[in-house]
């Protein structure tokens, strides 16, 4: 039994590593289907009622759905998974925090900004308590990005800017993306549009499907704020093309870009 179990876990580990590689390549549909299949086939026994790979696969499947823009669809599953992931050890606790961070993204997309702020602060407190056991810098920076977005949603742009600027020096290329996005959103919210454009010019995020339309969205909003309607429309249309090609139609960024384009052109966002 032990030999069979070990071989099964090795196979699941290889499958999970392949899914993570596909996720980095932006092949969301394949990843979600593969993760769901892995979760369905993970073994159980009376000593481990929920297999480790099942939990990780469900976390990956729901995380991909959130990145793709289908957070509303998986919100109930996220909440179920959070409840099931009782933090009995450091690994389970970290996995639960990842799921909670994904749920926070959904709350922001639903404009439940006060709830998202409270959840982000609670996750950050948990990260601080676990930091001596496992490296959590990437998760911490991601949650700080969520916190900044939640603050911007409450028009607390100065606080969001402080979070972004204070933590960007700690971030690598990939983990800096949400912080740069918060910085551009916060600057636009304060009417500092030229500064937004300066950040956008020097910010070149690594190509990731989840970031589609990001820079053009904030560039277009800044150009609109400066009264440069032609440039604002061009940026908004680039962002919309990128979002429609790469993201689910329900993605909050797609809705935000359509709203921006409507404000630039005076047209109904869905007309």
């Amino acid at each position: 039994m032990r030999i069979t179990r070990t071989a099964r876990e090795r196979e699941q580990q290889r499958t999970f590593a392949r899914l993570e590689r596909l996720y980095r390549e932006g092949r969301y549909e394949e990843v979600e289907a593969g993760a769901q299949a892995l979760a369905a086939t993970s073994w159980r026994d009376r000593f481990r009622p929920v297999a480790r790979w099942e939990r990780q696969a469900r976390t990956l499947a729901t995380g991909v759905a959130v990145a793709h823009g289908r957070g509303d669809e998986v919100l109930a599953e996220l909440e179920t998974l959070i409840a099931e992931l009782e933090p009995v050890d450091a690994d389970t606790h970290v996995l639960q925090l990842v799921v909670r961070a994904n749920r926070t993204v959904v709350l922001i997309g639903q404009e439940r900004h006060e709830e998202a702020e409270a959840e982000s602060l609670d996750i950050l407190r948990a990260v601080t308590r676990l930091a001596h056991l496992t490296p959590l810098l990437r998760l911490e920076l991601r949650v700080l990005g969520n916190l900044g977005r939640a603050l911007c949603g409450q028009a607390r742009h100065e606080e969001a800017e402080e979070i972004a600027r204070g933590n960007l020096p700690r971030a690598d290329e990939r983990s800096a993306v949400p912080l740069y996005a918060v910085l551009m959103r916060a600057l636009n919210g304060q009417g500092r549009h030229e500064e937004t454009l300066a950040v956008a010019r020097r910010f070149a995020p690594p190509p990731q499907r989840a970031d589609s339309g990001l820079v053009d969205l904030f560039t277009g909003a800044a150009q609109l704020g400066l009264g440069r309607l032609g440039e604002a429309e061009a940026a908004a249309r680039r962002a919309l093309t990128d979002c429609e090609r790469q993201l689910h139609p329900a993605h909050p960024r797609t809705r935000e870009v359509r709203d921006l384009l409507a404000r630039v052109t005076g047209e109904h966002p869905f007309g």
Side-chain angles (χ1 to χ4, degrees):
M1 175 67 72
R2 176 62 184 170
I3 295 175
T4 302
R5 189 175 298 166
T6 301
R8 183 71 174 273
E9 286 214 346
R10 286 175 181 167
E11 177 185 351
Q12 291 171 329
Q13 186 174 14
R14 286 193 296 269
T15 300
F16 198 81
R18 180 179 64 83
L19 292 174
E20 289 186 315
R21 175 177 56 79
L22 293 176
Y23 177 78
R24 291 191 295 272
E25 294 173 1
R27 296 160 65 176
Y28 292 165
E29 294 83 357
E30 293 178 62
V31 175
E32 187 174 357
Q36 289 172 344
L38 180 58
T41 58
S42 293
W43 56 268
R44 300 174 179 222
D45 63 29
R46 66 190 181 93
F47 299 106
R48 299 174 66 183
V50 180
R52 175 166 60 100
W53 293 112
E54 178 188 1
R55 295 192 301 256
Q56 292 190 340
R58 289 169 64 198
T59 298
L60 179 59
T62 52
V64 170
V66 171
H68 196 196
R70 294 174 31 251
D72 291 351
E73 292 182 30
V74 296
L75 180 57
E77 169 66 2
L78 287 168
E79 292 173 343
T80 298
L81 191 51
I82 289 168
E84 291 178 2
L85 284 166
E86 183 179 352
V88 295
D89 54 36
D91 288 344
T92 308
H93 200 168
V94 170
L95 202 60
Q96 186 193 59
L97 295 180
V98 170
V99 181
R100 289 176 65 189
N102 289 336
R103 179 179 177 272
T104 303
V105 174
V106 182
L107 295 179
I108 293 169
Q110 295 179 342
E111 299 186 357
R112 296 161 63 180
H113 300 298
E114 292 84 358
E115 293 177 64
E117 178 190 0
E119 181 74 338
S120 296
L121 289 171
D122 195 57
I123 295 171
L124 289 170
R125 285 190 287 268
V127 166
T128 299
R129 292 193 295 268
L130 287 171
H132 68 290
L133 298 176
T134 184
L136 293 172
L137 179 60
R138 284 181 178 272
L139 176 60
E140 180 186 359
L141 293 172
R142 181 186 172 205
V143 175
L144 285 165
N146 290 344
L147 176 59
R149 289 179 62 194
L151 293 174
C152 285
Q154 300 172 68
R156 292 159 61 186
H157 303 294
E158 294 86 353
E159 295 174 66
E161 179 187 358
E162 184 178 353
I163 287 172
R165 291 194 187 279
N167 289 283
L168 274 169
R170 307 166 59 212
D172 60 18
E173 184 182 49
R174 180 67 206 136
S175 57
V177 173
L179 295 173
Y180 271 114
V182 167
L183 179 57
M184 289 185 284
R185 188 184 294 276
L187 291 171
N188 274 340
Q190 296 173 71
R192 293 157 59 188
H193 305 302
E194 291 286 7
E195 292 180 61
T196 301
L197 295 176
V199 172
R201 283 192 292 269
R202 71 171 183 264
F203 171 50
Q208 294 283 331
R209 186 173 174 183
D211 303 327
S212 299
L214 191 64
V215 176
D216 279 325
L217 167 63
F218 297 121
T219 297
Q223 298 286 18
L224 175 61
L226 293 167
R228 303 170 185 168
L229 298 186
E231 294 172 73
E233 181 176 355
R237 291 196 183 280
R238 287 195 305 270
L240 184 59
T241 298
D242 205 11
C243 289
E244 289 181 336
R245 184 173 60 247
Q246 299 287 356
L247 304 175
H248 191 271
H251 198 292
R253 189 177 307 131
T254 304
R255 298 198 303 267
E256 191 172 0
V257 171
R258 286 176 175 158
D259 179 69
L260 171 63
L261 187 58
R263 286 188 285 125
V264 172
T265 63
E267 300 173 358
H268 189 281
F270 305 104

